[in-house]
C-alpha cells in the first residue's frame, strides 16, 4: 500500500475511495434529466452500467431505477431524477477495493462509502 507523501501521492485505498465518489458524481450529473419511462428503464439501467464499467478502476456496477417514482408528464414520459437512483459500484486500485452507493436517504440522493478493504498480494514463489 502506498502512503501519502510530501509530493501528494495517495494510498491505493484513498484512490479507490476517490474513484468511487467521482464515478458516482459523474453518473448522477450525466444522467439526471434523461427522458425515461417504466418501459425504457431497463435499457437505461443497462446503458449506464455499460458506460460506467468502461472507466478506469471500475470493477462492478449495478444500477436500479425506482420505477414507482416515474410519473408521466403531459407528453407521456418522466425525467430521471436523483431520487430514482439505486446504484452500487466497486472500484479497485492496486490491491484496494471500495464499495460505494448512490441511493435515496431522507429525501436526498446520498452517496456513501459502504466498505473498503485491501487484499494481500500473493507472495512470489
Amino acid at each position: 500500500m502506498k502512503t501519502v507523501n510530501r509530493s501528494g501521492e495517495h494510498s491505493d485505498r484513498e484512490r479507490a475511495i476517490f474513484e468511487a465518489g467521482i464515478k458516482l458524481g459523474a453518473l448522477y450529473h450525466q444522467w439526471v434529466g434523461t427522458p425515461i419511462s417504466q418501459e425504457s428503464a431497463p435499457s437505461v439501467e443497462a446503458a449506464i452500467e455499460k458506460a460506467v464499467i468502461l472507466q478506469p478502476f471500475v470493477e462492478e456496477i449495478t444500477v436500479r431505477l425506482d420505477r414507482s417514482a416515474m410519473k408521466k408528464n403531459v407528453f407521456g414520459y418522466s425525467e430521471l431524477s436523483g431520487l430514482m437512483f439505486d446504484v452500487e459500484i466497486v472500484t479497485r486500485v492496486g490491491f484496494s477495493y471500495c464499495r460505494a452507493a448512490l441511493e435515496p436517504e431522507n429525501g436526498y440522493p446520498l452517496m456513501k462509502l459502504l466498505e473498503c478493504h485491501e487484499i494481500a498480494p500473493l507472495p512470489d514463489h
Side-chain angles (χ1 to χ4, degrees):
M1 176 176 91
K2 296 179 186 174
T3 58
V4 177
N5 62 29
R6 293 178 198 260
S7 69
E9 288 185 37
H10 295 279
S11 69
D12 288 349
R13 180 180 187 275
E14 289 169 324
R15 288 202 52 217
I17 292 168
F18 171 81
E19 291 296 338
I22 205 75
K23 299 318 189 233
L24 290 175
L27 178 156
Y28 175 91
H29 288 289
Q30 181 177 6
W31 293 91
V32 164
T34 299
I36 194 161
S37 67
Q38 291 190 9
E39 296 76 25
S40 70
S43 62
V44 173
E45 291 167 339
I48 295 170
E49 289 174 352
K50 288 177 181 177
V52 174
I53 200 74
L54 294 173
Q55 298 178 57
F57 309 109
V58 178
E59 292 286 305
E60 298 174 28
I61 184 162
T62 304
V63 177
R64 296 294 165 256
L65 301 173
D66 181 359
R67 285 146 176 82
S68 70
M70 295 176 190
K71 309 296 181 207
K72 291 182 181 179
N73 62 25
V74 297
F75 299 105
Y77 67 91
S78 184
E79 291 182 27
L80 186 54
S81 77
L83 292 173
M84 292 178 190
F85 282 113
D86 183 0
V87 179
E88 221 174 88
I89 190 167
V90 176
T91 55
R92 177 179 66 87
V93 176
F95 293 101
S96 295
Y97 289 82
C98 175
R99 189 167 63 93
L102 168 61
E103 58 191 17
E105 186 173 307
N106 298 321
Y108 187 82
L110 190 65
M111 290 180 231
K112 57 179 127 180
L113 185 61
L114 302 174
E115 68 176 316
C116 276
H117 63 276
E118 294 178 298
I119 58 170
L122 295 173
D124 292 334
H125 287 8

